[in-house]
Amino acid sequence: MTDHEEIAQEAPPPGEEIHLPGPTFIPMIMAAGITLGVIGITINFIISIVGVVIFLITLVRWIRETRRDMAELPMDHQSR
């Protein structure tokens, strides 16, 4: 078997849709929460608490959003 035939066998069938997650600001807000948490350790403990709360809220939202996206995939989709 030639290299060309091996590549052709591994490629997905034409017309299969590629799933991409939607755009979101959640990672940036999460990074801001982590930053506040770390900065709050040196400045004020209350800032640290606010940062951790922001981090936890965005973490939960991001997980829920990802689970919802995964549930919308076709049943015959296989993750590799």
Side-chain angles (χ1 to χ4, degrees), residues 31-53:
I34 293 171
T35 303
L36 285 175
V38 171
I39 289 174
I41 292 172
T42 58
I43 296 176
N44 190 346
F45 192 64
I46 294 173
I47 296 172
S48 196
I49 292 172
V50 170
V52 169
V53 168

Side-chain angles (χ1 to χ4, degrees), residues 26-38 47-63:
I26 292 177
M28 289 180 15
I29 298 169
M30 183 181 282
I34 293 171
T35 303
L36 285 175
V38 171
I47 296 172
S48 196
I49 292 172
V50 170
V52 169
V53 168
I54 291 171
F55 169 75
L56 291 175
I57 290 171
T58 55
L59 178 66
V60 169
R61 284 199 57 195
W62 200 358
I63 290 172

Side-chain angles (χ1 to χ4, degrees), residues 62-76:
W62 200 358
I63 290 172
R64 284 184 184 167
E65 190 174 301
T66 302
R67 290 177 60 108
R68 189 177 12 231
D69 283 347
M70 294 297 290
E72 292 175 0
L73 290 176
M75 293 300 284
D76 61 343

